[in-house]
Amino acid sequence: MPHWSVYTGNSQPHDGIDRLPDPPPWRAFDGEPVLRPPRDGDDETAVSPDRVHRARSYVASPESVQLVNAALVLRRPLLVTGPPGTGKSSLAYAVARELRLGPVLRWNITSRSTLADGLYQYDPLSRLYAVRQTAWRTGDGVPAQGVRGQGLPGGDVPGGGGVEDHLRLGPLGTALLPYERPRVLLVDEIDKSDLDLPNDLLNVLEEGQYEIPELMRAARHSADGATAEVLADGTDTPVAVARGRVRCRAFPFVVLTSNGEREFPPAFLRRCVRLKLRRPDREQLTEIVRAHLDTPPAEADHLIDRFLTRAADGELATDQLLNALYLTGVAGLDAESRDALADELMPYLSATADGDGF
């Protein structure tokens, strides 16, 4: 492999990320204070059996390996497009596992997602309630002087009334913290977003930083330098944010997935490394089956051929083949019953292919 490559695609964990070449001068970041990366077990939701299995069994193509390394070296997002079931999201987990980059930060995109959702969530109503509770306890109806601030309109009040007590960083906001190693951020199905999100996201990823206005306002009333302790995504351990500004140090490895349901603006595309995943061929399918099923059934070759024959007439996903292989293997069916069950488990993903469309 080229000497600049750190990701190999062989699924064996290593510390090759420490050999990552320096970033281009225009992609160097210097955020502080430097944070140690979390361990895999620090976020229980990120180490579910499904995600662990997908990371361990992912089969990367040579093109995928090359473009992952390109995105890592250039400190650019990786835009992964392809049909459903080709392993777009699994790639993020595989890279995080091999390079020991900690739990994957996942942001699932819907038509209502906004940039603010990914950066942080702030609950002003819970803060107002906390301030009123404090005022009630003091007996004078006026928020007390805070330990690090001035009550409302800024800073802290006793009893959890500070802004940071009601604010939590989102997956994007957490990925841009000044970690000494890059975090892995999966922005899943970005093609489902509204028209503005790609460009809004582009600006933050281009700058590698963002601001939290609520903390910046509180900082103006703070008496001690305005460093707030806020919770990050996937952990209950607070991190320090100075004066409401966050800047990354190691640019995160950002994987943006798309099923190709929409076009993206040229300005967005030119700032991404683009990887297009295609349907696996027979050799790749055999390798995928071997990686997922330690002892594939004797009928694996037959069902792989049947899958490829059906896939020529309509859209199918690889996990449909895996489901069919596993279930027909444990059911102990005869050949005719096995084929019938496999066809039931491998319906076309589009209505037109099944003859139900127009």
Side-chain angles (χ1 to χ4, degrees):
M1 297 185 68
H3 69 277
W4 51 269
S5 299
V6 295
Y7 174 63
T8 65
N10 65 13
S11 77
Q12 296 301 318
H14 58 82
D15 293 311
I17 194 68
D18 296 331
R19 303 191 304 272
L20 188 68
D22 292 336
W26 55 90
R27 298 297 293 164
F29 303 97
D30 59 355
E32 292 183 341
V34 181
L35 301 176
R36 294 183 61 83
R39 295 169 298 182
D40 285 333
D42 290 347
D43 183 359
E44 294 182 357
T45 62
V47 292
S48 66
D50 169 65
R51 295 179 180 181
V52 171
H53 176 77
R54 283 197 290 167
R56 185 184 297 115
S57 60
Y58 186 79
V59 178
S61 67
E63 182 185 15
S64 298
V65 172
Q66 185 176 41
L67 292 180
V68 164
N69 282 296
L72 286 167
V73 172
L74 295 174
R75 276 66 168 183
R76 289 292 186 183
L78 180 67
L79 176 61
V80 186
T81 60
T86 50
K88 298 185 294 296
S89 59
S90 297
L91 176 60
Y93 293 98
V95 173
R97 179 179 184 272
E98 180 182 324
L99 299 182
R100 293 176 175 164
L101 300 180
V104 173
L105 299 161
R106 181 166 187 152
W107 184 16
N108 296 313
I109 301 299
T110 70
S111 59
R112 298 180 299 276
S113 298
T114 65
L115 180 65
D117 297 330
L119 291 176
Y120 67 93
Q121 300 87 39
Y122 173 59
D123 188 349
L125 294 180
S126 69
R127 186 185 179 220
L128 179 60
Y129 177 77
V131 170
R132 286 179 173 175
Q133 287 292 100
T134 300
W136 178 79
R137 286 195 297 269
T138 62
D140 58 9
V142 178
Q145 172 70 29
V147 176
R148 299 197 303 273
Q150 308 293 327
L152 287 175
D156 293 345
V157 295
V163 172
E164 65 268 35
D165 295 315
H166 307 277
L167 185 148
R168 190 181 194 106
L169 301 183
L172 172 60
T174 300
L176 291 173
L177 287 169
Y179 289 107
E180 62 181 0
R181 280 186 172 189
R183 295 295 305 272
V184 177
L185 171 64
L186 172 60
V187 184
D188 206 21
E189 298 188 330
I190 191 172
D191 50 333
K192 291 185 177 179
S193 70
D194 69 11
L195 295 177
D196 294 329
L197 182 59
N199 282 332
D200 293 342
L201 183 61
L202 169 66
N203 293 331
V204 173
L205 294 178
E206 187 70 12
E207 298 294 329
Q209 62 184 10
Y210 64 97
E211 297 178 342
I212 303 175
E214 293 84 356
L215 292 181
M216 295 180 70
R217 286 194 294 268
R220 293 199 296 267
H221 299 274
S222 175
D224 69 345
T227 296
E229 298 284 329
V230 302
L231 295 179
D233 186 69
T235 179
D236 291 326
T237 302
V239 295
V241 175
R243 296 192 174 276
R245 296 182 176 89
V246 176
R247 177 184 297 172
C248 72
R249 190 171 189 89
F251 187 78
F253 176 61
V254 182
V255 177
L256 310 160
T257 72
S258 168
N259 291 326
E261 296 179 2
R262 59 173 286 192
E263 296 292 331
F264 295 105
F268 177 81
L269 293 175
R270 72 181 179 86
R271 288 175 171 88
C272 296
V273 175
R274 299 164 65 182
L275 168 63
K276 182 177 178 61
L277 296 181
R278 296 171 177 82
R279 291 289 180 196
D281 57 23
R282 195 185 195 290
E283 181 180 352
Q284 291 171 318
L285 280 175
T286 301
E287 189 175 354
I288 290 171
V289 169
R290 186 180 299 115
H292 283 269
L293 301 173
D294 294 334
T295 54
E299 298 81 10
D301 290 343
H302 172 72
L303 286 184
I304 290 174
D305 289 337
R306 194 172 188 86
F307 175 85
L308 289 171
T309 300
R310 287 178 57 79
D313 297 324
E315 189 173 3
L316 295 175
T318 306
D319 56 355
Q320 292 174 286
L321 171 63
L322 295 175
N323 289 336
L325 280 168
Y326 181 78
L327 186 56
T328 57
V330 299
L333 304 174
D334 57 41
E336 183 177 352
S337 300
R338 184 180 62 246
D339 289 348
L341 178 58
D343 288 347
E344 291 294 326
L345 293 172
M346 296 189 296
Y348 293 115
L349 301 180
S350 60
T352 303
D354 273 329
D356 297 330
F358 296 95

